[in-house]
Amino acid sequence: MRVLLVEDEPDLGKAIDRTLKQEKYIVDWAQDGCEAWEYLESHWTQYNLAIFDWLLPGLSGLELLRRLRAKNSALPVLMLTAKDRMEDKVAGLDAGADDYLVKPFGMAELLARLRALQRRSPQILPQQLQVGNLVVDCGNRTVCHLAISGKSQIISLTNKEFQLIEYLMKHPNQIVTTDQIRNQLWEVSADTFSNVVAAQVRLLRRKLESVGCANLIETVHGVGYRMRN
């Protein structure tokens, strides 16, 4: 799940960024509206959720929303603001915000509101994905192997391994390129090495093979990978 966070307050931005990453979100953090619009224009289809602060340098959160909706984007947006007057809330919602959170707020409430946006967004795929005997629960962030005996075994994965298998399972029997995986799983500002995707796939394969799920991830040489259903 990829999130665009637009927040110019360094302490609050760091806190939200850290909290989201602990919950296994992939986060691109922009600190002004112009930077955020550049993220949106270059990675238009890759975001599942967005969090906009209202008052930003460059473009305001309200202007970002208006531009986004003018492009007919249905990206779910949570607006953060210190403005708590009814007129301000109405203005934000009318501009295209899906939800509104007044500062100060607790991180537990922020996460709950994001989960609610995910549940009602038409862009979000089903919470549970299955390929063969492998089941990914996107809500609980777990991966489970279903044995022939009927017993299930949870596979312990790192955040990045979970993000990788979730992405592949959302595109069963489709070839996804190395660049698509890199762009989807790593933040725009991340300093990654050239074979980072291959290294991550290798680590994930080892864990799948350890529970008897060999050959699920096929290498398409010179292109990328495919999750075989």
Side-chain angles (χ1 to χ4, degrees):
M1 189 71 62
R2 193 181 192 113
V3 178
L4 176 61
L5 168 64
V6 193
E7 173 57 64
D8 65 322
E9 296 180 32
D11 290 342
L12 179 57
K14 287 178 183 176
I16 296 173
D17 181 65
R18 181 174 58 252
T19 298
L20 293 179
K21 287 177 178 175
Q22 287 172 348
E23 294 296 314
K24 301 183 180 179
Y25 289 94
I26 301 164
V27 184
D28 289 328
W29 175 21
Q31 299 190 51
D32 68 67
C34 294
E35 182 187 11
W37 188 247
E38 290 177 3
Y39 277 123
L40 286 168
E41 286 196 307
S42 58
H43 300 277
W44 196 262
T45 62
Q46 295 177 18
Y47 293 111
N48 305 107
L49 297 166
I51 303 171
F52 293 170
D53 189 16
W54 184 302
L55 297 176
L56 295 165
L59 298 173
S60 70
L62 207 62
E63 181 59 29
L64 277 175
L65 269 173
R66 288 171 177 152
R67 288 192 180 193
L68 194 64
R69 299 314 182 210
K71 295 282 190 180
N72 295 317
S73 171
L75 179 68
V77 176
L78 172 64
M79 181 74 85
L80 306 180
T81 180
K83 296 175 177 288
D84 60 357
R85 297 185 309 162
M86 180 60 69
E87 306 93 288
D88 295 320
K89 293 181 180 180
V90 170
L93 293 170
D94 282 348
D98 296 277
D99 200 358
Y100 197 102
L101 190 55
V102 177
K103 301 176 181 179
F105 54 83
M107 292 299 162
E109 183 179 3
L110 173 70
L111 293 173
R113 288 178 181 269
L114 291 180
R115 289 193 295 270
L117 287 179
Q118 292 172 43
R119 286 194 296 270
R120 64 176 182 256
S121 170
Q123 291 186 340
I124 305 300
L125 292 172
Q127 287 287 300
Q128 198 168 84
L129 306 167
Q130 183 167 357
V131 171
N133 291 333
L134 201 64
V135 178
V136 170
D137 190 315
C138 303
N140 294 328
R141 315 296 288 179
T142 58
V143 179
C144 182
H145 175 245
L146 304 177
I148 297 176
S149 63
K151 293 183 178 180
S152 61
Q153 179 180 356
I154 299 295
I155 305 172
S156 179
L157 300 179
T158 65
N159 286 356
K160 198 59 67 182
E161 288 165 352
F162 182 88
Q163 291 162 359
L164 174 58
I165 197 168
E166 180 185 35
Y167 183 60
L168 290 173
M169 289 183 70
K170 284 179 177 178
H171 302 84
N173 297 316
Q174 298 177 35
I175 298 174
V176 290
T177 69
T178 299
D179 284 343
Q180 285 176 317
I181 295 173
R182 184 185 293 109
N183 291 337
Q184 182 67 29
L185 269 64
W186 279 269
E187 292 79 13
V188 173
S189 58
D191 183 17
T192 59
F193 52 92
S194 59
N195 64 337
V196 63
V197 174
Q200 199 64 63
V201 169
R202 185 165 58 251
L203 293 171
L204 177 58
R205 275 177 171 153
R206 288 176 185 169
K207 291 190 177 180
L208 295 180
E209 289 168 0
S210 71
V211 296
C213 291
N215 303 319
L216 276 180
I217 303 174
E218 176 188 1
T219 299
V220 182
H221 294 288
V223 183
Y225 302 90
R226 174 166 46 206
M227 176 65 77
R228 302 179 66 176
N229 195 346

